[in-house]
Amino acid sequence: MANICIIPAAGRGSRWAPVSGYLPKEMLPLIDRPVLDWVIDEVLASGCSEIIIIINKQKELIKRYLSKRKNHKRVKFHFVYQEKPLGIAHAILLCRNLIKGNPFAMALPDLPTISHKPVLKQLIQSFEQLRGESSIISFSIFPADTLHLYTECLVERRDDKLLKILHFCPKQDDQTKSHHPGSKIRMSGRYVMKPEIFSIIEGIENFGESEIKFNEALAFKKALEKGQSVLGLAIDGHTYDTGNPTLYVRANTAFFKKKLYKRK
């Protein structure tokens, strides 16, 4: 079972500038507590007992906040520093010694979810049903005006409700268009990975200075090319985005309605 989860939170947050210059985007309030809190709750509800938070020296606030949260005392936190914004794939590689050859999960902190069963738990259960033979990527349906923000894949539904990933689509010159017109399903920020992914990431040369080029999609693309099994799961639930101000408002509206409903 994947009982350790990586949460990469060392990105620049450029879409939130200048706010991200003094407040990490992961600490932006989603209703009454930071976005990161909601994601951590999902991770804990999915059965993970250890969480690796990737931060940098400008995001020490995250570490201070989590060390004081009483409701997070039942989880063991590890903090790993990513000195340069070299992307999520590089951040995963930094956790290799802590993972110790075990399968592991990852949750992106600016993509909170609403679902009856925790989204990450859905992936972990699928991973276990496959006896750990394939990495799993979450997929969600997103509004048409936001599709360009998420990685598109050509997928084929299997009989067991998982998705066979045929290929990872290249970025379009016109980002408002889909590579496969009519497709609204995109990668949505939850993963369960086999430890073999580390050897794939190690083979990525010249990470460079871009936090966009060397993301997790590139690592999975190369894993497929090397014969590793990577499958998708169309989640039962909804994924929201707090990565820019417009989408942040949508997320707050959805989570406010969720909280209001629970009070009744």
Side-chain angles (χ1 to χ4, degrees):
M1 176 181 173
N3 62 2
I4 187 166
C5 182
I6 297 171
I7 299 181
R12 289 172 174 168
S14 55
R15 291 186 293 170
W16 265 105
V19 173
S20 55
Y22 57 86
L23 180 68
K25 67 175 182 177
E26 297 82 8
M27 296 298 293
L28 288 166
L30 183 56
I31 307 304
D32 56 354
R33 53 201 177 99
V35 178
L36 181 61
D37 246 2
W38 294 91
V39 176
I40 288 175
D41 281 355
E42 178 193 332
V43 171
L44 295 180
S46 300
C48 295
S49 57
E50 294 186 56
I51 298 177
I52 303 172
I53 310 286
I54 311 292
I55 58 174
N56 55 43
K57 292 181 179 179
Q58 287 71 48
K59 294 193 174 185
E60 291 284 353
L61 176 62
I62 293 174
K63 186 175 182 178
R64 293 197 300 270
Y65 172 77
L66 292 178
S67 66
K68 295 178 181 179
R69 291 290 288 166
K70 293 181 180 180
N71 63 329
H72 294 330
K73 295 299 182 183
R74 61 191 177 95
V75 61
K76 183 176 182 180
F77 285 109
H78 305 273
F79 293 92
V80 173
Y81 288 81
Q82 187 180 32
E83 301 299 334
K84 295 182 180 180
L86 300 180
I88 294 174
H90 177 262
I92 294 171
L93 192 60
L94 294 176
C95 302
R96 186 170 191 167
N97 290 339
L98 289 169
I99 298 298
K100 298 178 181 177
N102 296 308
F104 61 97
M106 182 170 72
L108 301 191
D110 56 354
L111 294 174
T113 62
I114 293 177
S115 60
H116 290 294
K117 179 188 290 186
V119 168
L120 188 60
K121 188 172 185 176
Q122 296 175 36
L123 270 71
I124 290 173
Q125 289 180 340
S126 293
F127 182 80
E128 292 174 346
Q129 289 167 5
L130 293 169
R131 298 182 179 180
E133 294 179 0
S134 178
S135 295
I136 310 287
I137 302 172
S138 70
F139 283 81
S140 287
I141 294 176
F142 289 97
D145 64 333
T146 67
L147 292 176
H148 63 285
L149 299 173
Y150 315 103
T151 300
E152 181 181 3
C153 300
L154 178 61
V155 299
E156 183 180 273
R157 292 187 181 272
R158 299 179 4 151
D159 292 339
D160 58 4
K161 296 183 180 179
L162 289 169
L163 304 172
K164 179 180 180 181
I165 300 174
L166 301 178
H167 70 80
F168 291 84
C169 302
K171 286 285 186 180
Q172 299 279 67
D173 292 334
D174 182 353
Q175 293 188 350
T176 62
K177 294 182 179 180
S178 295
H179 192 75
H180 300 282
S183 172
K184 293 184 178 180
I185 194 168
R186 298 289 187 273
M187 287 174 56
S188 60
R190 299 293 184 270
Y191 314 84
V192 178
M193 290 174 253
K194 298 171 62 178
E196 287 81 358
I197 197 71
F198 289 116
S199 62
I200 298 297
I201 299 173
E202 281 186 326
I204 300 174
E205 299 179 353
N206 301 321
F207 274 95
E209 296 295 329
S210 173
E211 63 176 331
I212 297 174
K213 289 183 180 179
F214 299 101
N215 58 23
E216 71 283 13
L218 174 61
F220 287 121
K221 178 178 181 293
K222 290 188 175 294
L224 280 178
E225 292 171 354
K226 295 290 185 179
Q228 291 189 22
S229 178
V230 181
L231 296 172
L233 176 68
I235 67 164
D236 181 10
H238 300 279
T239 301
Y240 296 91
D241 196 336
T242 60
N244 70 38
T246 300
L247 299 179
Y248 172 74
V249 171
R250 292 183 185 178
N252 266 278
T253 300
F255 275 75
F256 177 76
K257 289 179 179 179
K258 172 192 175 184
K259 191 165 186 177
L260 190 64
Y261 173 76
K262 281 191 172 183
R263 287 176 176 172
K264 293 181 179 180

